[in-house]
Amino acid sequence: MEIYLIRHGKTVGNREGRYIGSTDEPLSSDGRRELSEELWRGGYEGAGLHGPQAVYVSGLSRTKETARLLFPGRSLLVREGLNECGFGEFENHTYEELKENPAYEQWIESGGVSAPPRGEAKADFAARTIRAFEEAILEQLSQKQEPFCQERVVAFVVHGGSIMALLEHYSLSGQGFYHWQVKNGCGYGACLSEERWLAGEQNLTKIRSIP
């Protein structure tokens, strides 16, 4: 199985450097233009990718908009478990607005591991993201007549944090969470061995940048 993990296009909050997690912000006009005219010019075929049989998105508008631009005409499978991390009281604020906040200083010192006030701890966020991803993969495997066919393509149009959590968990490289940071509209392609996955060896291999 081929897996695409793609971060949504740019929003106004992204452009301004704000912590946009649970905020349901749409793509900006620049974000839509970048996707269609720059990053994904020529669509997924122009990027050398195959058309996915399934496209999963989070429950937030920016992933749905991005998926419709990249994979027009495809039905979207919404999974709220793939939503971005909730930043609590830091949500929709910039570093400059927060830098003198003691709670923010403590959060930064923890490497973003602890939970922001009224927000989500990294471990909790990663656990729900992984759970939603595994449920989607099993859903796809259960629908196939030939369980070990390697031709199926599944796209996940999600969030930067979601991609980082998934690749920290499933990559065999041992690279940490922040190694997998990715720009808006970009992401990674990877391979998943269906036979090994069902046998309990749940890894993603041949990870590469896309588009």
Side-chain angles (χ1 to χ4, degrees):
M1 182 184 294
E2 193 166 6
I3 302 293
Y4 302 146
L5 301 172
I6 302 169
R7 186 184 178 191
H8 62 81
K10 191 176 294 180
T11 68
V12 171
N14 294 149
R15 186 187 67 210
E16 294 177 350
R18 299 184 179 277
Y19 287 99
I20 303 297
S22 59
T23 302
D24 196 7
E25 189 175 56
L27 298 183
S28 65
S29 57
D30 284 346
R32 290 190 292 272
R33 179 187 55 76
E34 287 176 358
L35 285 171
S36 58
E37 298 180 14
E38 297 177 20
L39 295 171
W40 292 86
R41 187 175 181 180
Y44 62 84
E45 291 179 335
L49 305 182
H50 301 101
Q53 285 79 36
V55 179
Y56 287 88
V57 295
S58 79
L60 299 171
S61 300
R62 54 194 183 270
T63 66
K64 300 172 190 175
E65 287 186 60
T66 301
R68 292 189 185 105
L69 286 170
L70 300 188
F71 306 109
R74 306 279 176 171
S75 296
L76 305 183
L77 300 168
V78 179
R79 299 292 183 269
E80 293 188 357
L82 296 171
N83 284 12
E84 179 62 284
C85 183
F87 293 112
E89 293 181 7
F90 304 156
E91 187 76 29
N92 217 13
H93 290 285
T94 67
Y95 167 79
E96 288 298 322
E97 293 168 348
L98 294 168
K99 64 182 181 181
E100 296 182 3
N101 181 331
Y104 180 69
E105 291 178 1
Q106 292 174 7
W107 183 68
I108 291 294
E109 288 174 2
S110 79
V113 171
S114 64
R118 301 182 184 178
E120 195 170 16
K122 177 180 176 288
D124 295 334
F125 161 65
R128 72 160 167 84
T129 302
I130 291 163
R131 183 167 57 249
F133 180 79
E134 292 187 354
E135 288 172 356
I137 296 300
L138 289 176
E139 183 177 69
Q140 291 304 307
L141 293 176
S142 69
Q143 293 176 5
K144 297 187 61 180
Q145 295 180 349
E146 299 180 63
F148 304 132
C149 175
Q150 295 295 318
E151 298 178 353
R152 192 161 184 84
V153 178
V154 181
F156 291 82
V157 183
V158 287
H159 305 270
S162 312
I163 294 170
M164 293 157 72
L166 291 172
L167 291 181
E168 180 182 37
H169 183 75
Y170 292 112
S171 168
L172 294 170
S173 70
Q175 300 286 0
F177 184 78
Y178 293 105
H179 172 80
W180 301 106
Q181 290 184 75
V182 63
K183 294 181 180 179
N184 291 102
C186 299
Y188 297 96
C191 291
L192 181 154
S193 169
E194 299 178 13
E195 184 174 8
R196 291 180 179 176
W197 188 275
L198 291 172
E201 295 181 40
Q202 298 175 337
N203 300 303
L204 295 177
T205 61
K206 299 182 181 179
I207 299 169
R208 66 195 189 280
S209 297
I210 56 175

